[in-house]
């Protein structure tokens, strides 16, 4: 296992459409990891200086480091089929090429998450030689594994790309843009979730499976988790043990139509963030 820094490296990649949910996610990570040193790597292609500054105000208030990496390379040049997919979908897979070589490991997090417990066990996870770690959203049975193996011709479980631990030294050697673009060109009609399908198609055998109930809990599936655990994983268990809640699918918890089991929790963190932003603005006005 590689030597890890004490500081936890978090990676996020997004455009402005997910900027506000990202801030709620970051607030939840800070609130539930008190005293942890974090370094946020914000990788983007189109955020404005003001938008980056709005994230920096938060990370400064948290006592975190922030590195904003603007990607200027056009990964879609000369590959017409790929232009229909957001550029940001490449950034998590290509983070080894984007981030400084001094960064050896990152935890990638989608912006539609809440972090409700301690992230450090994920940071210190022994990858056992694997390049990546990810969870599988299985359902009550393993049926979807079989469906995706037939669809993609893969031999592994179908991993969700919303939470990843990435060994960047391995990624710098193994993940190549040419492999990604060639795969999309060849299998474009079969791809449903392009970034996730590519992750599984190209790199599935190099992924260590981690618990979805702990590290990538699909908030739509509360009753399924409860059934699968014979009622052990009820709401008290989730709040005490689950670390990352993932608001998969739609409506998202910030949409007025959302009324799910975990919508209120997201809205509460959103309110707390708004109060913090108000205090930060008041402090700036006073100075």
């Amino acid at each position: 296992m590689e030597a890890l820094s004490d500081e936890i490296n978090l990676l996020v990649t997004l455009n402005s459409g997910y900027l506000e949910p990202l801030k709620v996610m970051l607030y939840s990570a800070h609130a539930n990891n008190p005293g942890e040193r974090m370094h946020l790597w914000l990788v983007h292609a189109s955020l404005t200086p003001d938008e980056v500054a709005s994230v920096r105000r938060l990370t400064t208030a948290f006592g975190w480091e922030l590195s904003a990496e603007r990607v200027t390379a056009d990964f879609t040049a000369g590959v017409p089929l790929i232009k229909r997919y957001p550029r940001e979908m490449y950034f998590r897979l290509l983070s080894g090429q984007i981030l400084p070589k001094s960064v050896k490991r990152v935890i990638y997090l989608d912006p539609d998450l809440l972090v409700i417990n301690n992230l450090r066990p994920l940071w210190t996870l022994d990858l056992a030689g694997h390049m990546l770690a990810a969870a599988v959203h299985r359902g009550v049975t393993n049926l979807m594994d079989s469906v995706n193996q037939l669809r993609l011709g893969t031999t592994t479980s179908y991993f969700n790309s919303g939470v990843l631990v990435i060994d960047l030294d391995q990624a710098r050697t193994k993940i190549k843009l040419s492999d990604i673009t060639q795969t999309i060109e060849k299998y474009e009609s079969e791809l449903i979730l392009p970034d996730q399908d590519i992750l599984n198609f190209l790199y599935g055998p190099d992924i260590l499976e981690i618990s979805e109930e702990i590290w990538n809990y699909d908030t739509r599936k509360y009753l399924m988790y409860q059934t699968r655990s014979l009622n052990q994983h009820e709401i008290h268990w989730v709040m005490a043990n689950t670390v990352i809640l993932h608001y998969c699918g739609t409506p998202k918890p910030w949409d007025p139509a959302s009324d799910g089991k975990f919508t209120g929790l997201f809205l509460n963190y959103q309110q707390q963030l708004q109060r913090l932003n108000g205090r930060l603005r008041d402090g700036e006005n006073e100075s």
Side-chain angles (χ1 to χ4, degrees):
M1 180 175 173
E2 75 271 26
L4 296 174
S5 67
D6 184 58
E7 183 177 65
I8 297 174
N9 290 312
L10 299 181
L11 170 67
V12 294
T13 68
L14 73 162
N15 56 32
S16 60
Y18 272 88
L19 190 61
E20 295 309 310
L22 170 72
K23 295 173 186 176
V24 178
M25 184 272 281
L26 296 177
Y27 180 87
S28 71
H30 168 68
N32 292 299
N33 288 264
E36 286 284 9
R37 294 174 56 236
M38 304 268 193
H39 191 140
L40 179 67
W41 297 88
L42 174 63
V43 177
H44 69 98
S46 57
L47 295 181
T48 67
D50 284 346
E51 288 169 338
V52 172
S54 71
V55 177
R56 191 177 299 280
R57 278 193 292 273
L58 281 183
T59 56
T60 299
F62 298 161
W64 294 4
E65 295 291 326
L66 171 66
S67 295
E69 302 285 334
R70 187 181 184 92
V71 178
T72 57
D74 184 2
F75 294 132
T76 64
V79 192
L81 288 175
I82 299 176
K83 289 187 180 295
R84 72 186 63 181
Y85 304 130
R87 286 173 291 176
E88 289 78 9
M89 71 168 264
Y90 300 97
F91 297 167
R92 76 189 85 177
L93 290 177
L94 294 170
S95 55
Q97 283 72 45
I98 296 169
L99 299 182
K101 289 186 178 179
S102 59
V103 185
K104 304 298 185 182
R105 174 183 284 205
V106 293
I107 297 174
Y108 167 81
L109 297 175
D110 270 355
D112 59 343
L113 306 172
L114 286 180
V115 178
I116 63 171
N117 278 303
N118 185 8
L119 277 172
R120 182 155 292 275
L122 186 61
W123 175 247
T124 58
L125 175 72
D126 185 354
L127 290 174
H130 293 80
M131 176 173 63
L132 301 147
V136 176
H137 287 164
R138 278 205 169 84
V140 176
T141 68
N142 294 342
L143 176 63
M144 289 311 297
D145 276 355
S146 300
V147 169
N148 284 304
Q149 287 165 6
L150 287 172
R151 179 170 67 88
L152 298 172
T154 55
T155 58
T156 64
S157 296
Y158 186 78
F159 295 95
N160 183 275
S161 61
V163 177
L164 300 171
V165 182
I166 309 174
D167 178 337
L168 291 177
D169 281 343
Q170 287 199 57
R172 291 179 180 110
T173 301
K174 296 178 179 178
I175 298 180
K176 297 178 174 60
L177 176 62
S178 58
D179 293 339
I180 296 171
T181 56
Q182 288 169 19
T183 301
I184 291 179
E185 285 190 302
K186 185 174 181 179
Y187 297 100
E188 191 255 355
S189 62
E190 280 84 34
L191 301 180
I192 298 173
L193 300 169
D195 56 336
Q196 198 159 272
D197 285 350
I198 291 297
L199 172 77
N200 283 273
F201 184 84
L202 288 177
Y203 310 114
D206 219 343
I207 302 175
L208 175 71
E209 183 174 344
I210 54 179
S211 167
E212 62 173 309
E213 291 92 339
I214 301 293
W215 300 114
N216 194 338
Y217 186 104
D218 185 339
T219 57
R220 300 170 299 181
K221 304 295 178 62
Y222 172 75
L223 291 177
M224 181 274 294
Y225 290 125
Q226 199 172 8
T227 300
R228 198 166 69 186
S229 67
L230 302 178
N231 294 324
Q232 290 182 19
H233 294 177
E234 39 70 64
I235 193 66
H236 299 276
W237 184 95
V238 173
M239 296 307 298
N241 294 280
T242 295
V243 177
I244 298 173
L245 296 174
H246 192 177
Y247 292 87
C248 301
T250 55
K252 297 298 186 186
W254 54 89
D255 294 333
S258 178
D259 190 23
K261 184 81 172 178
F262 297 96
T263 296
L265 185 61
F266 180 91
L267 295 177
N268 181 255
Y269 280 110
Q270 188 178 58
Q271 285 181 332
Q272 292 183 56
L273 173 63
Q274 290 167 352
R275 294 183 187 114
L276 173 62
N277 281 328
R279 294 194 297 273
L280 294 176
R281 284 192 297 269
D282 290 343
E284 289 174 357
N285 291 336
E286 289 173 2
S287 61

